[in-house]
C-alpha cells in the first residue's frame, strides 16, 4: 500500500476478491517528475491463471444473476466512482501525466457514465420476436464467459471501463490487465467494485508487463473473449495467441487520422479543431494528426495555426493553466523524438517545435514539406506532432485522406452540407466528424477500418461481442412465453 497524492493505493493484484502479491515488482514512475510513486506486483503466467480460475468459478452465479440486479450493481459502481471522482482524477494525473482539469471535468465523469449507460442498455436489450412459417424466432444474448481485457495508458480508467462495463453488464466475468505505465486507477477500481457489492471473482486485476501477464492471459484456454486497445504490432501478437483457442477478439488499434479543411470552412472553427489535436500531449489515437488543407487557403491557415500553437502552455498537468502536459514515459519521449529527427533528415520542415521541451515534455510540432510516402505521414507517432499537406479539390483530398493503412477516424471542416455528405461517404474511417471533433456517444458503433481495428463496440455492438447471441425457434403450438 502506498500513498499517491494523499490517496492510498494498493499495488498488488486483485484476484478472487483478495489482494495478491507477487515475488517480483516493477516501478511505477510519474511522468510529472520521473519519480517512482509505487511498487507494482509483476504478474505472469501463474497470476494470469489464478485470475482466470477465479473468474471461471464466479461466472455461473454472475451469469444467472437477473439483469435488474446486474444493472443495479453497475449503477452502484458509478455512484462510488462519482464519490471518489477527485481522488481518481489526481491519482491518474500523477500516474499518466494527463491534465487534471481534463480528468476532473471529462474523463472521470465519463467513467461513471460508462457504467450507467451499459446498465441501462442491458435493461432494454432485446428485439421483437419474428415469425417463420408459423414458427416463432426469439433472439437472446447469453453471457460468453471469462473476458480478458488489456487496456492502454493514455486514458487508463475511461478506456478500461468502455470494455469492463459492457462485459459485466452482459453477465461475464473479467480479468483486466492494465498498462504497466499507468496501473493505479485499475487498482482503485477493484476497491470500488467491492463497495458496490460486486461478487468476488467477477472482476479481477492482474498487473504486469504485456509480454508476461498479458501474453499468458490472451493464450489462456479458459478465456472466452479478448478485448484489446493498443498498437498494431501488439494486436498481431495477441491475434496469433488467440488463434490457438479460436478466441473471439475486439481490437481497437492505432490511427493516423486526417483533418480535412476546405476553403469554404469556418476558419476559426478549423483552427480551433486543429489546435485540439495536441490534446493529451498528442497521445490520442483518434487525433487528426494529418492536416489536409485546400491549397487556396493553406498559406494563411498555416501562418495562423503556428501562431495559435505557440500560445499553448506546457507545464505541470496539475496546474489549471497548463495546456500540454508531459509524455507518459522517457521511452515514449525518445520514440517521438526519433520520428521527428528522421522527418527532418528526410527534408520535412518543422514550422514550430521539433524538439524536447524539458523533462518529459515534447514541444508541439507542425511539419510541412512532407512527402506523401514518408514515415512521418504514414506511421503513428502518438505524440504532439502534426503534418500539413495541401490539396486541390475533393478527389485529391479523399485520395490523401485514404492513403495510409489506418482508418480509425477522420475530421472534415466545410461550409457545404452537400460536400460534407459526399466526402464523408468516401472516407475510410470508423468515425467521421463534420465540423466537430471527439463527440462520442455510446449508442454509436466505435472501431476502426483497415489496420485500425477489428469489430465495433457501443450499444448493441458491445453486447453482440461480449455475448453468445442465440436464436431459439419455437414450433407452432400456441406458446406465448
Amino acid at each position: 500500500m502506498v500513498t499517491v497524492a494523499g490517496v492510498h493505493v494498493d499495488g498488488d493484484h486483485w484476484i478472487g476478491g483478495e489482494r495478491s502479491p507477487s515475488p517480483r515488482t516493477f516501478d511505477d514512475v510519474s511522468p510529472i517528475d520521473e519519480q517512482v510513486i509505487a511498487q507494482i506486483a509483476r504478474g505472469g503466467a501463474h497470476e494470469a491463471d489464478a485470475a482466470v480460475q477465479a473468474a471461471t468459478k464466479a461466472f455461473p452465479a454472475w451469469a444467472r444473476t437477473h439483469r435488474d440486479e446486474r444493472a443495479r450493481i453497475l449503477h452502484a459502481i458509478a455512484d462510488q466512482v462519482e464519490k471518489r471522482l477527485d481522488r481518481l482524477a489526481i491519482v491518474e494525473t500523477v500516474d499518466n501525466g494527463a491534465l487534471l482539469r481534463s480528468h476532473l471535468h471529462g474523463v472521470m465523469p465519463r467513467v461513471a457514465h460508462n457504467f450507467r449507460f451499459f446498465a441501462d442498455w442491458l435493461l432494454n436489450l432485446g428485439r421483437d420476436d419474428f415469425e417463420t412459417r408459423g414458427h416463432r424466432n426469439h433472439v437472446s444474448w447469453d453471457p460468453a464467459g471469462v473476458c480478458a481485457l488489456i487496456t492502454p495508458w493514455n486514458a487508463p480508467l475511461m478506456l478500461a471501463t468502455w470494455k469492463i462495463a459492457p462485459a459485466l453488464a452482459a453477465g461475464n466475468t473479467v480479468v483486466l490487465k492494465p498498462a504497466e505505465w499507468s496501473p493505479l486507477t485499475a487498482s482503485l477500481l477493484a476497491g470500488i467494485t467491492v463497495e458496490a457489492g460486486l461478487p468476488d471473482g467477477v472482476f479481477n486485476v492482474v498487473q504486469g508487463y504485456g509480454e508476461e501477464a498479458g501474453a499468458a492471459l490472451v493464450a489462456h484456454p479458459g478465456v472466452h473473449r479478448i478485448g484489446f486497445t493498443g498498437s498494431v504490432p501488439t494486436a498481431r501478437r495477441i491475434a496469433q495467441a488467440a488463434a490457438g483457442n479460436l478466441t473471439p477478439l475486439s481490437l481497437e488499434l492505432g490511427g493516423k487520422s486526417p483533418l480535412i479543411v476546405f476553403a469554404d470552412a469556418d476558419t476559426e472553427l478549423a483552427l480551433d479543431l486543429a489546435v485540439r489535436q495536441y490534446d493529451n500531449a498528442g497521445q490520442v489515437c483518434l487525433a487528426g494528426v494529418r492536416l489536409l488543407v485546400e491549397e487556396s487557403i493553406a498559406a494563411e491557415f498555416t501562418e495562423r495555426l503556428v501562431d495559435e500553437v505557440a500560445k499553448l502552455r506546457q507545464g505541470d498537468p496539475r496546474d489549471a493553466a497548463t495546456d500540454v502536459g508531459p509524455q507518459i514515459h522517457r521511452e515514449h519521449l525518445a520514440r517521438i523524438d526519433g520520428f521527428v529527427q528522421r522527418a527532418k533528415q528526410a527534408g520535412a520542415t518543422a514550422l514550430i517545435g521539433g524538439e524536447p521541451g524539458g523533462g518529459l515534455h515534447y514541444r508541439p510540432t507542425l511539419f510541412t514539406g512532407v512527402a506523401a510516402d514518408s514515415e512521418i505521414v504514414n506511421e503513428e507517432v502518438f505524440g504532439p506532432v502534426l503534418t500539413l499537406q495541401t490539396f486541390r479539390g475533393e478527389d485529391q483530398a479523399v485520395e490523401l485522406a485514404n492513403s495510409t493503412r489506418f482508418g480509425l477516424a477522420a475530421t472534415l471542416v466545410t461550409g457545404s452540407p452537400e460536400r460534407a455528405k459526399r466526402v464523408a461517404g468516401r472516407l475510410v474511417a470508423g468515425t467521421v466528424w463534420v465540423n466537430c471533433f471527439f463527440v462520442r456517444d455510446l449508442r454509436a458503433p466505435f472501431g476502426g477500418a483497415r489496420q485500425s481495428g477489428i469489430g465495433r463496440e457501443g450499444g448493441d455492438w458491445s453486447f453482440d461481442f461480449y455475448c453468445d447471441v442465440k436464436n431459439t425457434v419455437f414450433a407452432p403450438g400456441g406458446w406465448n412465453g
Side-chain angles (χ1 to χ4, degrees):
M1 182 76 72
V2 297
T3 301
V4 178
V7 180
H8 297 304
V9 187
D10 199 308
D12 288 339
H13 313 290
W14 178 255
I15 299 175
E18 297 179 345
R19 293 292 175 184
S20 176
S22 286
R24 299 181 299 167
T25 61
F26 62 91
D27 292 341
D28 182 26
V29 177
S30 173
I32 297 174
D33 54 13
E34 296 188 84
Q35 296 298 304
V36 175
I37 53 176
Q39 294 290 317
I40 305 298
R42 181 175 169 180
H46 173 74
E47 290 82 1
D49 181 64
V52 172
Q53 289 191 39
T56 301
K57 181 180 179 181
F59 172 70
W62 181 244
R64 290 193 303 268
T65 301
H66 194 276
R67 63 171 61 185
D68 289 349
E69 177 64 7
R70 295 204 302 266
R72 185 194 67 78
I73 291 176
L74 263 63
H75 274 291
I77 292 173
D79 292 341
Q80 295 297 325
V81 167
E82 289 170 347
K83 287 180 182 178
R84 294 166 170 81
L85 192 145
D86 290 355
R87 284 171 280 177
L88 290 166
I90 187 62
V91 168
E92 192 150 291
T93 291
V94 172
D95 203 19
N96 87 328
L99 300 184
L100 178 58
R101 69 169 188 254
S102 295
H103 279 133
L104 286 170
H105 302 298
V107 177
M108 292 307 163
R110 189 56 182 257
V111 170
H113 175 68
N114 288 343
F115 284 105
R116 294 200 192 283
F117 173 87
F118 286 107
D120 292 340
W121 198 270
L122 169 67
L123 296 179
N124 295 298
L125 184 66
R127 295 175 184 162
D128 292 338
D129 291 354
F130 55 95
E131 184 180 319
T132 305
R133 299 187 301 277
H135 297 67
R136 180 167 60 86
N137 294 264
H138 175 75
V139 178
S140 58
W141 285 259
D142 294 348
V146 177
C147 299
L149 306 180
I150 300 178
T151 53
W153 45 258
N154 56 321
L157 193 57
M158 183 181 73
L159 293 178
T161 56
W162 273 5
K163 299 179 184 300
I164 295 166
L168 294 180
N172 300 305
T173 53
V174 167
V175 180
L176 172 68
K177 209 296 284 182
E180 59 266 27
W181 284 350
S182 56
L184 297 184
T185 47
S187 181
L188 292 176
L189 180 62
I192 284 172
T193 64
V194 174
E195 294 294 325
L198 193 69
D200 293 347
V202 173
F203 177 66
N204 307 271
V205 178
V206 175
Q207 308 280 13
Y209 297 129
E211 61 269 26
E212 297 173 352
L217 268 178
V218 298
H220 200 292
V223 168
H224 302 91
R225 293 290 188 277
I226 298 171
F228 170 72
T229 299
S231 71
V232 172
T234 301
R236 289 195 182 104
R237 292 192 292 271
I238 290 174
Q240 289 171 351
N245 300 312
L246 292 178
T247 309
L249 294 160
S250 176
L251 303 177
E252 297 177 16
L253 308 180
K256 195 72 180 178
S257 301
L259 192 162
I260 309 168
V261 181
F262 283 94
D264 63 1
D266 179 328
T267 303
E268 299 301 324
L269 171 63
L271 286 167
D272 177 67
L273 293 175
V275 173
R276 286 184 60 190
Q277 308 313 305
Y278 292 105
D279 284 357
N280 202 24
Q283 299 167 144
V284 178
C285 60
L286 292 161
V289 295
R290 291 187 296 131
L291 304 181
L292 308 178
V293 182
E294 194 156 10
E295 192 174 85
S296 62
I297 63 167
E300 179 184 357
F301 183 87
T302 302
E303 181 180 358
R304 292 189 61 188
L305 177 59
V306 170
D307 289 343
E308 292 301 314
V309 174
K311 297 175 185 177
L312 293 173
R313 291 162 293 189
Q314 288 188 281
D316 190 318
R318 296 166 294 190
D319 186 341
T322 296
D323 297 311
V324 181
Q327 308 307 137
I328 182 72
H329 194 275
R330 177 68 51 180
E331 180 181 318
H332 189 58
L333 181 79
R335 180 179 181 274
I336 293 168
D337 193 49
F339 276 110
V340 170
Q341 301 313 318
R342 289 191 297 274
K344 290 179 181 179
Q345 292 165 10
T349 300
L351 297 181
I352 191 169
E355 60 189 9
L360 291 186
H361 291 88
Y362 205 90
R363 293 185 62 205
T365 299
L366 177 65
F367 275 118
T368 58
V370 292
D373 61 351
S374 63
E375 178 190 58
I376 198 67
V377 168
N378 289 279
E379 297 300 324
E380 185 178 39
V381 178
F382 214 62
V385 180
L386 275 58
T387 61
L388 191 150
Q389 299 165 272
T390 63
F391 65 85
R392 293 181 181 179
E394 291 181 17
D395 288 344
Q396 190 179 19
V398 171
E399 180 183 358
L400 289 171
N402 292 341
S403 64
T404 74
R405 60 194 171 98
F406 297 103
L408 186 57
T411 301
L412 171 61
V413 193
T414 178
S416 167
E418 294 76 18
R419 170 177 284 143
K421 292 176 183 177
R422 284 195 307 269
V423 174
R426 297 173 64 189
L427 295 176
V428 178
T431 299
V432 178
W433 286 291
V434 178
N435 294 335
C436 60
F437 175 65
F438 216 45
V439 178
R440 172 82 172 100
D441 192 313
L442 288 175
R443 294 173 294 182
F446 179 80
R450 295 178 176 168
Q451 291 192 21
S452 285
I454 296 174
R456 295 291 184 271
E457 295 188 35
D460 277 355
W461 292 275
S462 286
F463 286 95
D464 287 346
F465 173 70
Y466 287 109
C467 292
D468 291 323
V469 183
K470 177 193 294 180
N471 185 45
T472 303
V473 183
F474 294 92
W479 292 359
N480 295 314

